[in-house]
Every structure is written in C-alpha cells, then in structure tokens.
Amino acid sequence: MINRATPQSAVTLHDIYLARARIAGQAVRTPLVKSVSLSERFEAEVYLKLETLQPSGAFKLRGALNAIAALDEATLERGVTTASTGNHGRAVAWAASRLGARAIICVSGLVPANKVAAIEALGAEVRTVGRSQDDAFVEARRLVAEEGMTLIEPFDDPLIVAGQGTIGLELMEDVPELDRVLIGLSGGGLLGGIGRAVRGINPRVRVTGVSMMYGAAMIESLANGHPVEVEEVETLADSLGGGIGLDNRCTWSLVREVMSDHHQVSERAIAAAMVHFLEVEKMLVEGAAVVGLAALEEHAIDIRGEKVALIVSGNGVDMATWQRARGMTDT
C-alpha cells in the first residue's frame, strides 16, 4: 500500500497497476472513441476518453474507490468525509455506499445545486459551508478531529492519484502510439496520475494541462514556485475551481514533473466547446470536461498527424449553466 506520508515520487507505475486491481469490478473501464468531426477538423486522430460513463458520472470515482477500499473495517465504521466542488463528493458518496461507510460531504456555496442533489441521492449528508472549497475543508477537518471520520482528499493523496492514473493505463493500452493527452488541471490528481502512467510507459507522450482563465490555483502556484491561495471565481468549468492547499505534499510537485505544457482558456472558448459536444458529439457534458477542445481551438495547437486523447472528465452540468454557455455562443 502507498504510504500517505511519503512524497509524490512514491506514486509509481506499479502503484497505479495496484489501484486498477483494487477498483476492478466497481469503476468502469471507460470507452475511448474516435471523434470523426474533430479528427477531420484538426487533421489528426482525436479520441475522447468518456469518463462521463462512470457510475458516478465522472473520473473521480477511481480515486475515491482506491482510497476508501484501502481503509480497514474499524475506520470504515467511523465514516468518511471530504470537501468537494461536486464530482469528488459524488464519487465519495457512491464508493462509501458500496463499501458500507457513512459519508458527509462538505461543499461551498459555489457548488451547483444539481451536484448537491446528486450527492444526496446517493445517501450522503451534504453540508454547505462558506464560499470556497477552503471553507468547506474547515468543516471536513473538524469532522475528522471531533468525530473520528477519515478525510478522503479530493486530489492531494497518493491513493487518489494512483486511482486516477488508471485512466492512463487504459489510454496506452487502447492507443499504444499515443502522442498527446489533454487534461483539465485543477488540484492535479487527474493530470498527475495520468501523466505518471502514460509517461511511465512512454516518456515521449506530451501531457498538456488546461485550466480556466481565472482562479487557476495550480498554475499560479507553479508560477510562484510554491503553493499559493487564489480567489475562486464563477466559471463554466466549475469542477476546476478550488485551491491546491498551502501544505500540498503530493500533486504540486508531481504536476511540475509530468506536465509538458499548459494553456488557459476563456469562458467563451469553454462555452463553444460545450456546444460542440452537444450538437456534434451528442454528449451533454460539463465545462471542465471540454477544456481540452477549448485549448485546441483557442490556442490553435498544431496536432496535425498526431494521435491525441481528450479526457472528457464528467457530465455534471445543470441546465442553468448549459443555458449560460449557449448564450455566450449566440452573441
């Protein structure tokens, strides 16, 4: 088992294979489908990794299952908690219900109502605290200190990183000659895990991170040379919100190691990508799931002749957010 107290270098390719064995039969091996429209548009082979088809609706289920399945019975009985912008909370609720643990999910007031409802539908208690994920974390840590619950980190945990890294194993098995993968970047668990996996198998794969234009904590932290706080702002890519923790011990250094390049995208570009996914790919997905396409379009990234994967990370979009995105493309 991964030692949670060790640095990120302990998250090895072997650990990711162990995670795959641990979550087998619960998390889905999601399909990787070729987009005909995007392949023609960019003169490349463009594939969509459909994490929207996980039982919880997003990739977060992999890491949550890996972390909760590693707990002993006595710890499970005391319950689990976390702070979340939505998808991680839903994943923890789903995994806890399957493994027989009570779950309390702490969220901020910025989390959309549809994501709160989805968490509650899985039997977890939701507590709304403050206006940022950092505020929600205060309550989660109180539950750990005062009620003995176990904190399931959204991203900054080797077990979470290893769980998300199983996506990378599937990518390399399905497209062994993969040239590039574009991944939404927030706390770094998804990019760090996938990056560790794909570059552990083939160091030549380019790992491209994508963030929204404002409130991108990981990018600000990398630019400053250490974790920093940023103000959270409303964005179509709400799943990419939140800080990385001033005491970050895992993902900040891992992202710095495995990420090849990075792009920030505007709200208008995210909106246009969401509209493309619904109208052309016939998929209703959240803003964070389309930032890879937004980056290809807005930054004119030259991928001609490449085999490229876009991580379609989740489907947690409400109609108000979708209508806001549609409105941006109509002006």
Side-chain angles (χ1 to χ4, degrees), residues 48-250:
L48 308 176
K49 182 61 170 170
L50 302 183
E51 286 299 295
T52 51
L53 299 181
Q54 289 294 350
S56 67
F59 76 93
K60 288 282 192 177
L61 185 62
R62 296 173 184 260
L65 275 169
N66 194 39
I68 296 175
L71 301 177
D72 59 38
E73 185 174 344
T75 304
L76 281 175
E77 288 179 355
R78 291 193 295 272
V80 297
T81 186
T82 194
S84 171
T85 54
N87 286 336
H88 177 64
R90 190 174 175 185
V92 170
W94 193 95
S97 68
R98 287 301 181 96
L99 298 173
R102 174 191 178 210
I104 298 178
I105 311 301
C106 303
V107 302
S108 81
L110 292 179
V111 174
N114 71 304
K115 293 190 176 184
V116 172
I119 294 169
E120 292 175 332
L122 292 168
E125 177 185 343
V126 177
R127 295 189 184 177
T128 302
V129 183
R131 293 286 296 172
S132 73
Q133 190 171 16
D134 289 339
D135 293 336
F137 255 117
V138 171
E139 174 64 9
R141 292 193 172 100
R142 187 195 67 77
L143 290 169
V144 172
E146 298 181 11
E147 300 188 24
M149 302 186 85
T150 295
L151 180 65
I152 306 300
E153 294 277 3
F155 51 85
D156 193 30
D157 183 321
L159 287 166
I160 296 292
V161 172
Q164 321 306 23
T166 59
I167 297 171
L169 301 182
E170 295 170 15
L171 289 175
M172 297 307 293
E173 290 166 352
D174 290 346
V175 185
E177 297 178 348
L178 187 70
D179 294 300
R180 183 195 301 261
V181 56
L182 290 98
I183 310 167
L185 177 61
S186 180
L190 179 63
L191 187 144
I194 293 176
R196 174 67 85 207
V198 299
R199 300 194 73 181
I201 294 170
N202 179 4
R204 292 192 295 266
V205 176
R206 292 190 65 82
V207 175
T208 299
V210 187
S211 302
M212 62 284 194
M213 193 66 68
Y214 303 106
M218 180 61 78
I219 290 308
E220 291 296 324
S221 296
L222 291 173
N224 280 274
H226 58 84
V228 299
E229 292 182 348
V230 299
E231 180 182 356
E232 289 187 46
V233 298
E234 188 175 26
T235 172
L236 292 171
D238 54 82
S239 294
L240 300 184
I244 69 166
L246 295 180
D247 58 348
N248 187 287
R249 57 192 170 82
C250 178

Side-chain angles (χ1 to χ4, degrees), residues 14-33:
H14 179 62
D15 292 320
I16 296 172
Y17 278 107
L18 290 178
R20 178 156 73 173
R22 191 178 287 120
I23 69 177
Q26 300 282 356
V28 171
R29 181 189 176 107
T30 54
L32 183 71
V33 299

